[in-house]
Amino acid sequence: MVRMKMKKKIDIEIIDKKQIPQSEPERQYYFMDIAKNYVEQLAAKKGSPLTFHVTTFGCQMNARDSEKLVGILERIGYVETDTEEADFVIYNTCTVRENANNKVYGRLGVLQNYKKKNPHMLIGLCGCMMQETVVVEKLKESYRFVDLIFGTHNIYKFAELIVTAMESDSMTIDIWKDTDQIVEDLPVERKYSFKSGVNIMFGCNNFCSYCIVPYVRGRERSREPKEIIREIEQLVADGVVEVMLLGQNVNSYGKNLKEPVTFAQLLEEVEKIEGLERIRFMTSHPKDLSDELIEVMGRSKKICKHLHLPLQSGSSRILKIMNRRYDKEHYLELVDKIRAAVPDIALTTDIIVGFPGETEEDFEETMDVVRKVRYDSAFTFIYSKRTGTPAASMEEQVPEDVIKARFDRLLKEVQKISAEKAEALTGQTLPVLIEEQNEQDASLVTGRLSNNSVVHLPGTADMIGKILDVKLTECRGFYYLGERADGNGQTV
Ligand code: 5AD
Ligand code: SF4
C-alpha cells in the first residue's frame, strides 16, 4: 500500500489499534467499528449525519460490488443520498471500452468542485479501471484531490481502507495484481428487496484478444457451492424471489474447485431452494456451454427463459483472431440445441463491429447470424482499442467511417428483428415480477417477464416484489403495456 504523505486530513481523534484480527472477515468488522467511531466524531462536528453516494459504471458484477460498498458504508453510519454532493462519493468504474474511462475523468472535474465547497468530503475510486497502471499514474499526476483508490481484488478490505484514508492526509492507493482469496460474510445492502445478484465466480481465463477483463479481474476463482447455496437461502429468507448468478464466464464455474462441480450441477442445487422462484445467470461463453446445461435448462421450472450468449462476430475467421474458440457453425448449432430444449427462450447477445481486419465479407457473416438467430435483443459495440490486449497491436484497424456505417446497418437489423419478435407475444398472459413504480407515471408499475422483457401496467406499490399474471395488451417496440389478469387470461 502506498501512502503519499502522513498528516491527518480530517479532524478526528485517531484510535490506537491493538490486536488487529489477522483473519477475515473478523479483521474488517474490527475496522468497521473504528470507522464508525470516526464517522460519529465527524457527524457530531457537522451537526448532521454524514452522507454518501456510490456511482456504478459497467456490468452486473460492478452493480453487485457496489451493493457491498453500500453495505459497509451504512454499517459505519453513513446515510445514502441521491446526489454526488455528499460527504463520501465512490465511483465504481468500468474499463471495458475507452469511453467508460473518459466518462470517469469528466465527472471527476465536477466532484473536485463539490470538494472545494466541502473540504471534509472523501472521494474514492475503485473497480476495473483502477487495475490499469496508466490510470493510477494519471490520477496521481492530475487528480490529487482523490482520497482513496483501490481495485477489484481487495474490495472486501473497504472498511480497512476507509480507516487508512481517514487517518492519512494524502491519496491512499491499494491495488493488487490478483488474488486467490474470497472473503465471505461481509455486509451487503441490496438495491432491490426481492431480487439479488449472487457472485458465483470471479475473474476470467479466456483472454479474448480484444478484452481487458482478464487483466483487470484476474484469474478464475469459483466460490464453494455450499457458500453460494447458503447465501441464496439467506436471501430467500429475507424476501428474495429472483437471483442472478454472476460470473464473467459462468459456464466454466467450478472447474478450479478442490471438488469440481459443473455449472449445471450448481443450477440444480439452486433450483431445490424452496421459496426461490426465478433463477437468471450472466454471462455464458458459447465455447463452454454444455449439453448438460441445456438439458437442465429444459427441465427447470425456475431458470428464466432467457439466455445471453455473446456472439461478438459471425465470421469464423474473425472469431479465431478474437480467440473465442468457437466458429459460426458451432454457435448456430448451439442456438438450435437450446431452442429445441427450451422453445420459448429469449436469446440476447453482444456484438463488436470493427474488430481489426474485419472485412465487408466478415461483417456480412455477422449480419447473417443475426438474421438466422433472430435475437430478442442485442448489445452492439464499436470496437475499442484497449492498451495491453493483443488486438490493440494488430495492424489493419478498420477506418472509423467504415465502422460507423456497418454499426448503423447492424443496429437497424437488430432493432427490426427485436420489434418483430416482441410483437409475437402480444395478447398472451404471462407471469411478471413487479419491480418498481414507473418513474414517469406513478399510476403504473414496471416488471419483467421470465424472458427479461419489460412490462408496464396499472398498479400500486404493494405489488412490488410479487409475481403476477399479466396480459400483454400492446407491444411498444422493446417493451409492453399490460393489465393484471386472472389465471384464465381475463384482465382483472
Ligand atoms: N471493444 C468493444 N467492445 C468490447 N467488449 C469487450 N471488449 C470490448 C472492446 N475492446 C464488449 C463485448 C463484451 C461486452 C461486455 O463488451 O461484446 O461481451
Ligand atoms: Fe466493465 Fe468488464 Fe469490469 Fe464489468 S468486468 S465493470 S464490464 S470492465
Side-chain angles (χ1 to χ4, degrees):
M1 188 182 320
V2 185
R3 276 199 232 162
M4 315 287 289
K5 244 184 324 146
M6 287 302 295
K7 189 153 69 73
K8 199 149 52 81
K9 173 176 15 206
I10 41 184
D11 191 18
I12 42 171
E13 292 279 330
I14 296 203
I15 297 173
D16 235 6
K17 287 168 221 51
K18 298 185 194 97
Q19 292 173 336
I20 302 174
Q22 290 306 304
S23 61
E24 300 291 4
E26 295 75 14
R27 184 181 173 95
Q28 296 314 310
Y29 281 96
Y30 171 89
F31 279 105
M32 279 178 232
D33 286 343
I34 294 177
K36 189 161 194 258
N37 180 308
Y38 292 164
V39 171
E40 273 163 14
Q41 290 185 41
L42 290 165
K45 285 200 184 104
K46 183 184 169 198
S48 63
L50 298 194
T51 57
F52 77 90
H53 187 84
V54 178
T55 304
T56 310
F57 301 84
C59 65
Q60 305 274 356
M61 287 283 225
N62 262 22
R64 182 62 177 160
D65 282 349
S66 288
E67 292 184 345
K68 297 174 185 174
L69 301 175
V70 172
I72 288 169
L73 287 165
E74 292 199 337
R75 185 161 175 128
I76 65 177
Y78 278 98
V79 178
E80 190 160 21
T81 170
D82 54 12
T83 109
E84 289 184 356
E85 256 185 297
D87 296 303
F88 199 162
V89 175
I90 314 263
Y91 282 177
N92 190 3
T93 62
C94 169
T95 187
V96 75
R97 287 170 293 276
E98 183 70 33
N99 57 5
N101 290 34
N102 294 339
K103 237 188 258 170
V104 169
Y105 292 125
R107 290 174 67 154
L108 275 176
V110 179
L111 288 193
Q112 186 177 22
N113 288 332
Y114 294 155
K115 190 161 179 166
K116 280 182 192 145
K117 285 193 256 166
N118 176 8
H120 279 19
M121 179 180 181
L122 290 176
I123 298 175
L125 298 175
C126 64
C128 297
M129 192 177 152
M130 300 306 125
Q131 292 294 139
E132 289 183 276
T133 319
V134 284
V135 168
V136 176
E137 287 308 313
K138 180 165 172 170
L139 292 167
K140 282 204 292 207
E141 186 79 24
S142 316
Y143 296 83
R144 305 248 1 123
F145 55 92
V146 172
D147 302 281
L148 172 61
I149 298 176
F150 57 105
T152 53
H153 302 300
N154 52 351
I155 178 168
Y156 75 86
K157 268 185 72 184
F158 185 42
E160 186 170 346
L161 292 168
I162 293 173
V163 169
T164 310
M166 283 182 165
E167 290 177 354
S168 120
D169 190 36
S170 49
M171 237 184 201
T172 300
I173 305 175
D174 193 12
I175 308 285
W176 300 359
K177 282 235 161 331
D178 207 344
T179 183
D180 51 16
Q181 201 165 2
I182 298 177
V183 179
E184 304 281 352
D185 295 320
L186 285 166
V188 183
E189 185 60 38
R190 295 196 307 277
K191 186 169 171 204
Y192 298 96
S193 59
F194 53 87
K195 70 169 182 178
S196 179
V198 174
N199 296 108
I200 63 165
M201 60 191 301
F202 303 91
C204 178
N205 286 354
N206 288 327
F207 291 95
C208 302
S209 62
Y210 51 82
C211 188
I212 201 160
V213 171
Y215 306 91
V216 297
R217 288 264 175 190
R219 296 293 65 74
E220 274 178 23
R221 286 150 282 141
S222 295
R223 283 177 75 195
E224 288 292 338
K226 66 173 191 320
E227 296 289 356
I228 297 169
I229 300 295
R230 188 165 65 95
E231 180 178 348
I232 300 176
E233 282 170 350
Q234 280 165 0
L235 288 168
V236 170
D238 197 31
V240 164
V241 292
E242 177 181 302
V243 290
M244 164 87 87
L245 307 180
L246 296 170
Q248 298 298 340
N249 178 13
V250 292
N251 299 118
S252 72
Y253 169 78
K255 285 185 184 160
N256 57 359
L257 289 170
K258 268 199 214 91
E259 291 172 41
V261 175
T262 64
F263 180 52
Q265 287 166 340
L266 176 73
L267 279 173
E268 288 198 302
E269 290 307 306
V270 176
E271 174 106 14
K272 289 182 199 152
I273 298 174
E274 227 169 284
L276 181 67
E277 309 253 8
R278 282 180 168 188
I279 305 167
R280 297 185 187 276
F281 53 85
M282 187 78 100
T283 288
S284 283
H285 193 305
K287 85 174 162 64
D288 298 313
L289 197 136
S290 65
D291 289 347
E292 185 197 12
L293 174 63
I294 295 174
E295 249 172 63
V296 168
M297 289 178 77
R299 277 204 296 274
S300 168
K301 301 247 170 338
K302 297 185 179 174
I303 300 174
C304 286
K305 309 283 184 206
H306 173 213
L307 181 66
H308 186 67
L309 196 60
L311 170 68
Q312 312 303 2
S313 169
S315 154
S316 296
R317 191 185 77 84
I318 293 288
L319 286 169
K320 195 158 183 156
I321 312 172
M322 285 178 162
N323 193 30
R324 292 289 289 173
R325 285 173 279 170
Y326 56 85
D327 60 12
K328 179 183 176 186
E329 284 63 42
H330 177 73
Y331 187 96
L332 289 173
E333 269 167 34
L334 266 183
V335 167
D336 286 346
K337 275 200 237 172
I338 293 156
R339 287 224 164 106
V342 193
D344 46 352
I345 198 158
L347 290 175
T348 60
T349 200
D350 293 341
I351 299 171
I352 298 176
V353 180
F355 182 82
E358 183 190 73
T359 62
E360 183 56 28
E361 291 71 47
D362 293 319
F363 177 68
E364 271 306 329
E365 293 276 65
T366 300
M367 292 290 274
D368 186 47
V369 176
V370 166
R371 289 187 198 107
K372 286 199 167 108
V373 175
R374 295 182 58 76
Y375 293 105
D376 292 80
S377 78
F379 296 100
T380 50
F381 304 106
I382 286 180
Y383 167 72
S384 169
K385 192 170 166 174
R386 309 307 291 122
T387 310
T389 62
S393 51
M394 287 177 193
E395 288 161 14
E396 292 187 86
Q397 303 277 333
V398 184
E400 240 174 77
D401 55 333
V402 175
I403 297 182
K404 182 75 181 59
R406 285 182 194 159
F407 183 84
D408 291 345
R409 273 160 67 201
L410 175 66
L411 192 62
K412 217 168 137 200
E413 191 66 32
V414 158
Q415 286 176 339
K416 183 179 120 236
I417 295 169
S418 300
E420 286 166 8
K421 295 217 54 174
E423 187 59 54
L425 286 187
T426 312
Q428 291 195 28
T429 297
L430 292 167
V432 172
L433 171 58
I434 310 295
E435 301 200 334
E436 57 203 358
Q437 234 160 351
N438 190 290
E439 274 173 23
Q440 273 94 44
D441 181 346
S443 71
L444 298 179
V445 288
T446 299
R448 276 179 198 272
L449 298 175
S450 170
N451 79 4
N452 212 32
S453 297
V454 169
V455 185
H456 304 295
L457 62 145
T460 45
D462 58 311
M463 288 156 67
I464 293 171
K466 293 187 181 139
I467 297 179
L468 304 170
D469 280 333
V470 174
K471 181 165 184 175
L472 308 177
T473 50
E474 194 183 331
C475 175
R476 293 266 181 97
F478 54 92
Y479 66 89
Y480 298 94
L481 299 182
E483 282 171 42
R484 261 189 91 167
D486 61 20
N488 305 318
Q490 299 300 309
T491 52
V492 289

